Amino acid sequence: MDFADQVVVVSGGGRGLGAALVRAFAGQGARVVIDYRRSREQAEALADELGDRAIAVAADVTDRTQVDALFATARERFGTPVTTVVNNALADFAFNGDARSHADAITWDEFAGQFEGSVRGALNVAQAALPGMRELGAGRIINVGTNLFQNPVVPYHDYTAAKAALLSLTRTLAADLGPGGITVNMVSGGLLRTTDASAATPEEVFDAIAANTPLRRVVTPVEFADAALFFASPWSRAVTGQNLVVDGGLVND
């Protein structure tokens, strides 16, 4: 699928990494649906910036009814099924290890909140996309992960567990949906400089990460989004069930 023929849903697309993903796809000529939960002002401003090839739609991805309505709106607006989804939406979280619950204090509710956003939300979006993708005979599902399951240097227990589950879902969906021409892959970043969630991260943490990467710098949301484009491009047509780590080489296994 050429980008000009794609209709892309980016969940949590109104700000931060989501906005970078939206701009990356729009920059390649795709039509983009900017999903948002609370960031209405930012999402609508981004849609206005991108013109008639973008639309902002409110939907909480943990609510299947809202997700189905989002896909119906997208089809009505663009006249064709959604071809590509990027599961980027993140349940409320701040990347500040000093403020996170440690092993002796973390509650199951904290885990459940992250699983709702990362796993249930991604499943809702993928399932809502399937009828249209099957109609087209092709589709791209791209999940946003983390390098923390290879390098758990910060006690983000709930976030990391949910993203690890999302990686498992990525691989099982890839096996299930591959015969229908639908690929499912993950792009996993480290700490990004800077998103709304990473704004809480102390500067010395950014410096330490940069010092330990071969590139000697922290990856930006724009660079991460560039990597996500690969999994939606024609050049990835034979790639599915994969996890691409985009963290400047910090994790290389």
Side-chain angles (χ1 to χ4, degrees):
M1 292 183 293
D2 292 331
F3 284 108
D5 298 323
Q6 294 188 37
V7 175
V8 184
V9 169
V10 179
S11 69
R15 58 192 176 94
L17 175 59
L21 288 160
V22 167
R23 288 190 175 96
F25 279 97
Q28 296 299 314
R31 291 158 289 179
V32 188
V33 182
I34 307 165
D35 162 71
Y36 68 92
R37 182 175 51 138
R38 290 196 297 256
S39 304
R40 177 178 179 178
E41 184 176 342
Q42 296 99 316
E44 291 183 348
L46 181 56
D48 288 343
E49 171 193 324
L50 298 175
D52 61 5
R53 296 183 69 82
I55 181 175
V57 183
D60 181 344
V61 294
T62 66
D63 183 326
R64 179 60 189 272
T65 299
Q66 293 186 40
V67 174
D68 286 340
L70 180 149
F71 276 78
T73 299
R75 183 160 189 160
E76 180 180 357
R77 169 65 181 269
F78 295 119
T80 188
V82 169
T83 65
T84 308
V85 298
V86 184
N87 284 307
N88 166 74
L90 175 64
D92 296 330
F93 198 85
F95 292 103
N96 182 354
D98 294 335
R100 304 309 305 178
S101 298
H102 288 254
D104 57 349
I106 194 166
T107 66
W108 178 249
D109 285 345
E110 291 173 83
F111 279 92
Q114 291 303 311
F115 273 78
E116 280 284 302
S118 291
V119 184
R120 184 176 184 174
L123 181 61
N124 282 342
V125 171
Q127 288 180 330
L130 286 180
M133 290 180 176
R134 285 171 170 152
E135 178 182 333
L136 295 169
R140 299 287 183 266
I141 299 171
I142 303 166
N143 296 322
V144 173
T146 179
N147 66 358
L148 286 169
F149 28 78
Q150 292 108 322
N151 187 37
V153 295
V154 185
Y156 299 151
H157 302 295
D158 46 351
Y159 171 80
T160 304
K163 290 297 189 179
L166 182 58
L167 175 57
S168 293
L169 182 63
T170 298
R171 289 172 171 163
T172 57
L173 286 177
D176 195 6
L177 301 177
I182 300 167
T183 66
V184 190
N185 292 288
M186 175 176 275
V187 184
S188 290
L191 192 67
L192 299 177
R193 186 190 290 271
T194 305
T195 65
D196 291 358
S198 67
T201 303
E203 189 63 27
E204 56 267 25
V205 174
F206 284 111
D207 293 341
I209 290 173
N212 284 284
T213 66
L215 296 180
R216 298 297 189 269
R217 59 186 177 82
V218 176
V219 172
T220 68
V222 171
E223 291 169 328
F224 183 97
D226 287 344
L229 290 175
F230 168 71
F231 285 130
S233 75
W235 298 283
S236 71
R237 61 187 179 273
V239 181
T240 195
Q242 301 305 306
N243 177 36
L244 176 62
V245 179
V246 182
D247 65 359
L250 180 67
V251 170
N252 53 24
D253 61 354

